[in-house]
Amino acid sequence: MTNFKKFRCRSILTALAVSCVMAIPAAAQYNMYDLGFNVTTQDIQADNTNTVHLIWTDRSTLYYGKIVNNALTGKVQIATKVSTRFWRPYLSVRPDGKSAHTVWCQGGGKGNTLKHSWRDSAGKWRTQTVYKASSSKQIAMPSCAVDGAGQVHVLFGIFNDVQSNTYYTLFYKKRSAGGAWGRLASFAPKHPEHTFPMMFTDSTGGVHATWCIVGVLGSDKNDAYYCTAPSGGKLSFASKVKIPKGPGLTLNGY
């Protein structure tokens, strides 16, 4: 009888163990969307309505689409002659999802042009020129963020290779909610080089930016910095803070 009780207890415990294992939820499911055979670059953003916005380049053509209820829909062509040699098109979406903005380069090599495309309130895409480089310069790494007030903030690099005066640094432009671009402003000093700007908008409409520095030695090499601006405000290099590194790390990346 004792042996039977032991066997019965072991059987119950085994059943409970199996039951516990079977009660573990199944692994999360993932959906995949084929954007095309010749897609070379892409960017993705989500808004507060849980809609996912996408842009991608198929060869030199820029497209937009969104994922709603687990379905890729609303694919439209935004622009052509898009250069992805030095950086990909960059996407920003207002927190409410009512407008989407992207910045991208047109024309490879020197003298290229920074473009801005956006979807207006009627759902149509429009494109305008933000800045055109001279024949001795080169635009690269554009990034953008649209704040809650409808302003578009753009950070991008200009590489100047005029003989010995070679440097790369970041520049800043801001587009008002009314649609007018402000003047081109030097955002960071020439030395050391400031590179790889990244931007995003938070749920309150505030804008955040990060970037790295290169070309210095010692403890400051490859540091990363951060700054922010409230909705309707302006980004300022003077308000930057250094992003701390972990112990023993020498790189922050981008």
Side-chain angles (χ1 to χ4, degrees):
M1 193 67 163
T2 303
N3 290 336
F4 175 75
K5 286 181 178 178
K6 288 180 179 178
F7 176 78
R8 187 182 176 197
C9 288
R10 281 198 299 270
S11 299
I12 292 172
L13 289 173
T14 301
L16 286 172
V18 171
S19 212
C20 289
V21 170
M22 294 182 69
I24 295 175
Q29 300 298 305
Y30 296 90
N31 294 315
M32 298 183 69
Y33 305 94
D34 186 1
L35 301 179
F37 180 76
N38 294 300
V39 171
T40 52
T41 62
Q42 60 281 319
D43 200 9
I44 184 170
Q45 292 286 336
D47 62 31
N48 291 344
T49 69
N50 294 325
T51 298
V52 177
H53 304 257
L54 300 167
I55 56 170
W56 64 94
T57 51
D58 189 330
R59 285 160 286 205
S60 61
T61 301
L62 183 62
Y63 293 92
Y64 165 85
K66 55 186 178 181
I67 299 174
V68 181
N69 297 326
N70 292 325
L72 182 62
T73 184
K75 177 182 174 181
V76 294
Q77 179 179 307
I78 300 175
T80 58
K81 299 180 180 179
V82 178
S83 172
T84 58
R85 182 179 179 186
F86 296 104
W87 202 239
R88 69 178 188 271
Y90 200 99
L91 175 66
S92 180
V93 180
R94 273 184 56 157
D96 58 14
K98 291 183 178 179
S99 66
H101 298 256
T102 176
V103 287
W104 48 278
C105 290
Q106 185 176 68
K110 301 173 185 176
N112 51 349
T113 303
L114 178 62
K115 295 284 192 175
H116 165 235
S117 298
W118 76 100
R119 188 189 62 192
D120 62 19
S121 57
K124 294 182 178 180
W125 280 90
R126 304 180 185 275
T127 297
Q128 62 186 177
T129 295
V130 180
Y131 179 77
K132 183 174 177 58
S134 66
S135 60
S136 64
K137 300 179 181 181
Q138 177 179 282
I139 298 171
M141 306 179 188
S143 60
C144 70
V146 53
D147 65 23
Q151 295 186 137
V152 181
H153 305 255
V154 177
L155 279 174
F156 60 100
I158 298 178
F159 183 81
N160 184 335
D161 66 347
V162 179
Q163 297 179 359
S164 62
N165 188 22
T166 300
Y167 61 89
Y168 175 97
T169 191
L170 296 181
F171 287 81
Y172 174 67
K173 289 198 79 171
K174 187 179 73 170
R175 180 179 183 262
S176 69
W181 284 98
R183 66 179 182 85
L184 178 70
S186 179
F187 183 77
K190 296 178 183 179
H191 303 289
E193 293 186 18
H194 295 254
T195 58
F196 303 120
M198 305 289 285
M199 304 178 73
F200 70 93
T201 308
D202 64 28
S203 60
T204 68
V207 170
H208 305 258
T210 65
W211 65 93
C212 298
I213 61 172
V214 298
V216 294
L217 301 175
S219 60
D220 292 334
K221 65 180 180 181
N222 302 305
D223 275 335
Y225 288 89
Y226 161 84
C227 72
T228 185
S231 179
K234 179 181 179 180
L235 289 174
S236 170
F237 182 82
S239 67
K240 70 184 185 302
V241 295
K242 185 185 293 187
I243 299 175
K245 300 175 183 175
L249 294 181
T250 59
L251 292 175
N252 263 317
Y254 65 91

